[in-house]
Structures are given as structure tokens and as C-alpha cells.
Amino acid sequence: MTSRRADRRGHGPRGPILPPEVPRWRSRAAEFDSAALEAFAEIDQHWHSRLVHLDLAVDMVPRMRLKPGESWPEEVVADGLVPLARLVPAGVDRSGQPTRARLVLFRRPLTHRAPDGDDLRDLVYSVLVELVSQHLEISPDEVEAGPNDN
């Protein structure tokens, strides 16, 4: 006996439309998260000891606006007027608790600028290199080269 919810209007039980073996099974958000983790892992393998206290976060869209006549601060990587990612330094939250530094990637602006998965991964990687270089206070070339090649 099936529940009323599972057998809506006599159409039988509801289930997944695509099996997990099909490439489109994963959502766009899951695809983006995978690309972000893959890009960050490449940087983290060289700089892990200095990035232990750094978090990686994904936000759908930026919640910040640029006032007329101003430019984005150093900790924001932007494409013109559209922010793509941001470095949020460690600090204290509203309740007085310490917070860790984090890199925030904005999913929608980044995915709109990359036509396919490989381009998205490359774009996310270049944005992360820029933010990690700001966090570590070194050049982006040094971040890509790794600490042993300095």
C-alpha cells in the first residue's frame, strides 16, 4: 500500500528522473562546488600549512553593492562592476565570537562567465590564486609556483 503522496493522481510512486550514472544527475550547484574544491585542492597541496585557518565558502550571488564613484577594495576580485569572489579577513562576529578568514566565491557571476566545466574550473582557480595571494601577502605567481620555488 502506497501513501497518497507517493501515488499522486494514480501515476505511481515518484522517484529520481535520472540515474546517478548519467552526467546530468548532479545539480549545477554540485558541479560548481566540485570545481571549486578541485581548484582549491591544487593550491592547498602547496600551501596547506599556511591555509589551515582559511575557510572556503560559496554564495549564490554577492550581497554587496558598489557606490557611485568608488572602486572595489583589494579583497574583492571583480569583473568590472560585478564581484566574483571576496576575501573576508578573520575578525569578530556580532556576538563577540572570533571568526576565521574565508574565501567566498559567488557562484552565479562565475558560472555566467564560463561556458563549460573546464573553463569554470580555470576561472575559479585564477580567482582563488588572486585571493590566496592577498591572504598570504605574496604575489599570485608565487602562489602558483609553490613555496619551494621561491
Side-chain angles (χ1 to χ4, degrees):
M1 188 168 194
T2 61
S3 72
R4 200 169 177 202
R5 184 174 209 118
D7 191 10
R8 288 179 57 188
R9 299 180 183 91
H11 293 287
R14 299 172 67 172
I17 295 172
L18 298 172
E21 299 83 31
V22 178
R24 242 357 261 164
W25 182 71
R26 290 179 17 171
S27 68
R28 289 183 205 145
E31 291 288 333
F32 182 84
D33 293 347
S34 176
L37 288 174
E38 185 180 322
F40 187 72
E42 192 172 328
I43 298 168
D44 188 55
Q45 74 181 359
H46 296 294
W47 297 97
H48 181 73
S49 62
R50 294 186 60 191
L51 299 177
V52 171
H53 301 291
L54 182 67
D55 293 334
L56 180 63
V58 174
D59 209 351
M60 176 86 86
V61 293
R63 291 184 175 89
M64 49 191 183
R65 300 217 186 265
L66 193 59
K67 295 178 183 173
E70 290 186 359
S71 61
W72 290 112
E74 235 179 63
E75 64 269 1
V76 175
V77 175
D79 181 19
L81 298 176
V82 180
L84 303 176
R86 177 181 185 189
L87 170 64
V88 179
V92 179
D93 66 8
R94 293 180 185 149
S95 63
Q97 298 296 318
T99 61
R100 294 166 41 124
R102 68 184 173 278
L103 306 175
V104 182
L105 298 170
F106 302 123
R107 184 168 66 90
R108 279 260 172 94
L110 286 164
T111 54
H112 282 294
R113 283 156 181 78
D116 63 28
D118 291 335
D119 290 334
L120 177 63
R121 192 218 161 273
D122 292 342
L123 177 60
V124 169
Y125 176 78
S126 64
V127 167
L128 286 173
V129 164
E130 190 71 33
L131 293 175
V132 168
S133 73
Q134 291 174 19
H135 177 70
L136 298 177
E137 297 177 351
I138 58 176
S139 74
D141 293 334
E142 289 177 277
V143 171
E144 288 190 273
N148 298 332
D149 298 337
N150 293 340

